Amino acid sequence: MSESISSGPTDPGAEIAQKLGTLRAEFEAKLAEARDDAALQRIKSDFFGPKGELTLMSRSVGQLPSEQRPVMGKAINEVKRALESELDRKIQDHEARKRDEELRRSRLDMTLPGRALHAKGAVHPVARVMYEISDIFARMGFSVATGPEVELDFYNFEALNFPPDHPARDMQDTFFVRPPDGRAIKDLVLRTHTSPVQIRAMERQGAPIRIIAPGRVYRCDQDATHSPMFHQIEVLCVDEGVSFAHLKGTLTSFIQSFFGSRGVRFRPSFFPFVEPGAEVDMQCTMCGGEGCRICKQTGWVEILGAGMVHPVLLESCGIDSERYTGFAAGLGLDRIALLRWGLDELAHLYRSDVRFLSQI
Ligand code: PHE
């Protein structure tokens, strides 16, 4: 009996087996086409849901003759399990692909430059010049000394051999300070140069001495190349046997290590605290000596004042001027910054305009 049922055209077992084959083919085709979640879910409910084809088919096993049930039940279950795991695999692949895509889209690229939230600060051009110059002199054995910006008239002028009412004071338009205790107005000044530090350092340290003194100085003066507050560095070297040759050698080597190799010349000049005195020029940094706006067509720019320390200063600081000699120099840092970066106006340095400062 079992033979006639399994081979006949109306055999329900054969019908189910055939239907299983068609379903399987249909399933494979749909699965191959499925591209998204919705399509996969639809396959799931079409085949395995409560009203899915395979669910219905499992149920129909109950209608088979009892001897066919275990065989067909098993066949259907096997197909069901196979297809279900195929679908699961496809769903998992799909999920994995989605996760990859998501990761790729949101990936943190560690090689990208960071986004700066705050602009980074930098050393001010004048301070930079000050540090560089201090470094050069430090390598030549100079150490750094300082003095007050509100200075006694005595140190700013008198001890530097400017007698009261001496016309040389006119070179330096002075801010006088009226102290709260009502002392004579002319006793206190905003220092007009860093030279008073020469006196303070020699009083303190005696000879031999080798110092530089950077700092702010003040003069009642303002135009494109003058500011009421500006910066100088004082240079002082006192020892046995120091001559004008040392002055020339030291200053020339400073200028050339700061600005690069170029011509330097010494012109006689007057400052009451040196004898002899000189002004020092170098070949213009802008035109290299051909003549331009910066050097007023001369090819030379003045960059410092210098001279041999006047014996009167040494003696007044208790240094034997028969045994010791020295040289001194003073240079304007703001001017050097102008030359260094080819600026036309001193005020650029004091406006705190980041658009300008960031170009330097
Ligand atoms: N103190 C002088 C000035 O400010 C410069 C100077 C310093 C000159 C030392 C000679 C020696 O003009």
Side-chain angles (χ1 to χ4, degrees), residues 172 192-193 195 198 219 232 234 271 273-274 305-307 328-330:
Q172 306 186 351
T192 58
H193 52 179
S195 299
Q198 286 187 35
R219 288 184 204 178
Q232 288 188 334
E234 196 75 11
F271 302 95
F273 40 94
V274 290

Side-chain angles (χ1 to χ4, degrees), residues 156 160 162 171-172 192-196 198 217 219 230 232-236 247 269-279 302 304-309 327-332:
N156 196 77
L160 287 165
F162 288 85
M171 288 170 13
Q172 306 186 351
T192 58
H193 52 179
T194 44
S195 299
Q198 286 187 35
V217 301
R219 288 184 204 178
F230 59 105
Q232 288 188 334
I233 284 194
E234 196 75 11
V235 181
L236 173 70
L247 178 157
S269 185
F270 174 76
F271 302 95
F273 40 94
V274 290
E275 180 60 31
E279 274 169 334
E302 181 197 325
L304 53 90
M308 299 305 291
V309 179
F327 67 82
L331 39 138

